[in-house]
């Protein structure tokens, strides 16, 4: 009997040793996460409705909490779905941005204003700095990113681009050095340094936004995105450039554009142009200048008002086709033979005030000054049909037009870099991964790229479109083709 009693504890030892460690511990009723995570030795789970013993008294139990809590290894939202334990704000701040939350979009996307201090010369830490102001529409770190360049300062803000909608993803709008009035050392304003600015942004965010990256841009922003791809081909997976012109100085290809549009409409535009510069100038010019001063708040200290009026008149047909040009727009043009000065003033001002600041006014030159430095440095600019107007005595021969413009006050006009210009144009023609979209009634299309056969770049053309054409302006077959191009390059499915 004694020996049996001695054996009983020994017989029970395997059971006693195995029970505490191996038996699953049931979570309390208020636990909302997977039961296996409770005391699962898998790290501290937060937001699960009850404390996780793995948290050792730290962490956060209330559903949806735990974000930015250093003790939490896994976080869950109020519906029990996994979420990042690092907030968007904290993640962006860790990447070097100054972050200002700006609310939410109508569909619940988070909006952020971002500021980033960048070197004037990314290869020289002593070169000084400038600020870049970006805007972010955030939907998820695991969703595609549409990186956008406007080609100027960030005027898009939180306006969502159609490609962002197509991708159902995030959107980040770049600013452009010196265009926002911050930074003035134009010796560092080169295409390479602009690309370096964008590269700096992508490097900071690429590990956060882990899905595909698209680079896109309109007009000069499209040119910037092609240049970015030339310098950093692996930063984005595909590039889409809308209305991006590749030019040389005083590019004569643009003169023939006006022979391709509706002849009757173009004749009417030229008749209005001559009327406001000639027979009706005495009535139209003072009225236009009054509107520019009273409605737009413009002043003219760098360019005298008369020269600004002539520059606007020189570009009048160009601006009409760039931003208008529909049959209804043409039908609404007054006949100068019978129109009053008031009729002509309205028709003229409605087109030439399209930028919200009058051509060659102080405000116009301030906004576009950095762009004018760029066109004179490496981009080129279009020739405008001026020879006949000069011959008729309607404008002076040395009139500074609103396409070449004037560099910022106090800045020396640069020498044109023909090598950089031709290198970018050649890359646009023979590169890979870029889709170009041009519109037949957009004057900038005279500087369109025709991709070389087998280059890997594509070109789409919008019929009866202008400079404002977007993805939805394409025909349905072309929308499908561009979507297929993006699916292939980005490695995602587009519904």
């Amino acid at each position: 009997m004694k020996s049996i009693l001695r054996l009983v504890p020994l017989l029970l030892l395997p059971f006693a040793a195995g029970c505490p460690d191996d038996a699953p511990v049931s979570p309390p009723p208020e636990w909302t996460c997977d039961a296996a995570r409770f005391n699962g030795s898998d790290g501290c789970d937060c937001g699960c409705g009850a404390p996780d013993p793995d948290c050792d008294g730290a962490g956060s139990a209330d559903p949806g909490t735990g974000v930015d809590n250093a003790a939490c290894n896994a976080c869950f939202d109020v519906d029990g779905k996994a979420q990042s334990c690092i907030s968007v704000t904290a993640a962006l701040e860790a990447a070097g941005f100054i972050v200002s939350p700006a609310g939410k979009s109508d569909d619940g996307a988070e909006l952020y204003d971002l500021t980033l201090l960048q070197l004037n010369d990314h290869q020289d830490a002593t070169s000084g700095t400038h600020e870049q102001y970006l805007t972010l529409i955030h939907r998820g770190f695991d969703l595609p990113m549409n990186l956008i360049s406007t080609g100027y300062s960030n005027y898009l803000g939180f306006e969502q681009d159609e490609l962002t909608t197509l991708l159902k993803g995030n959107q980040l709008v770049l600013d452009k050095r010196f265009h926002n009035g911050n930074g003035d050392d134009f010796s560092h304003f080169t295409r390479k340094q602009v690309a370096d600015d964008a590269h700096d942004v992508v490097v900071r965010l690429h590990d956060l936004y882990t899905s595909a990256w698209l680079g896109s841009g309109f007009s000069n922003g499209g040119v910037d995105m092609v240049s970015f791809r030339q310098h950093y081909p692996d930063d984005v997976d595909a590039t889409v450039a809308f209305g991006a012109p590749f030019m040389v100085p005083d590019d004569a290809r643009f003169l023939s554009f006006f022979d391709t549009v509706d002849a009757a409409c173009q004749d009417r535009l030229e008749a209005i142009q001559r009327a406001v510069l000639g027979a009706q100038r005495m009535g139209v010019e003072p009225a236009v200048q009054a509107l520019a001063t009273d409605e737009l708040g413009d002043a003219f200290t760098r360019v005298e008002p008369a020269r600004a009026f002539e520059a606007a008149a020189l570009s009048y047909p160009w601006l009409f086709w760039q931003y208008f040009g529909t049959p209804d727009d043409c039908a609404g043009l007054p006949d100068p033979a019978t129109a009053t000065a008031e009729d002509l003033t309205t028709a003229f001002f409605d087109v030439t005030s399209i930028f919200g600041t009058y051509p060659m006014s102080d405000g116009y030159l301030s906004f576009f000054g950095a762009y004018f430095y760029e066109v004179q440095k490496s981009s080129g600019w279009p020739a405008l049909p001026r020879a006949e107007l000069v011959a008729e005595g309607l404008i002076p021969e040395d009139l500074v037009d609103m396409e070449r413009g004037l560099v910022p006050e106090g800045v020396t006009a640069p020498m044109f870099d023909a090598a950089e210009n031709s290198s970018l144009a050649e890359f646009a023609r023979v590169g890979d991964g870029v889709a170009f979209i041009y519109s037949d009634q957009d004057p900038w299309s005279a500087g369109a790229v025709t991709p070389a056969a087998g280059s890997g770049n594509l070109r789409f053309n919008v019929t009866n479109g202008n400079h404002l054409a977007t993805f939805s302006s394409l025909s349905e077959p072309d929308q499908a083709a561009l979507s297929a191009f993006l699916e292939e390059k980005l490695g995602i499915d587009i519904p």
Side-chain angles (χ1 to χ4, degrees), residues 405-428:
L406 296 172
V407 301
E409 200 165 13
V411 175
T412 302
M415 295 290 292
F416 187 74
D417 189 338
E420 184 177 72
N421 175 273
S422 61
S423 172
L424 179 58
E426 182 66 4
F427 176 80

Side-chain angles (χ1 to χ4, degrees), residues 121-141:
D121 183 342
H122 287 266
Q123 285 71 51
D124 181 1
T126 66
S127 61
T129 59
H130 63 277
E131 288 182 334
Q132 182 173 171
Y133 308 122
L134 307 93
T135 46
L136 172 67
I137 301 176
H138 172 87
R139 290 192 169 85
F141 289 121

